[in-house]
Amino acid sequence: MTSFDIPATGVVLFHFWPSLCSQKVRLVLEEKGVAYEGRLVNIGPPMENYDPAYVRLNPEAVIPTLAVDGE
């Protein structure tokens, strides 16, 4: 299992801490009481958002990406 694999059930948020868009999604999930697993995607020099496994999740290669029940 890689860091970009998603489980069949549950909510997974692929995000980057300093990202404003990621902050907004985390805030909404917390306010709504949605349990989620957070996975960091470093968009800095490693540019993990261009990893082929991540691009399969989000063809635009941007963050955040929210996966719900395997989709």
Side-chain angles (χ1 to χ4, degrees):
M1 182 174 199
T2 70
S3 61
F4 299 126
D5 290 336
I6 52 176
T9 60
V11 178
V12 178
L13 176 63
F14 297 91
H15 63 104
F16 187 57
W17 280 107
S19 159
L20 180 60
C21 292
S22 293
Q23 291 173 20
K24 291 176 184 179
V25 174
R26 287 193 309 267
L27 179 63
V28 169
L29 291 172
E30 292 292 334
E31 286 189 351
K32 294 289 186 177
V34 176
Y36 68 95
E37 175 187 347
R39 296 194 192 164
L40 292 178
V41 178
N42 191 341
I43 62 173
M47 299 193 319
E48 294 174 345
N49 54 312
Y50 292 107
D51 184 294
Y54 185 76
V55 173
R56 282 192 294 277
L57 292 177
N58 186 329
E60 299 293 323
V62 297
I63 57 157
T65 298
L66 189 64
V68 180
D69 294 334
E71 295 189 31

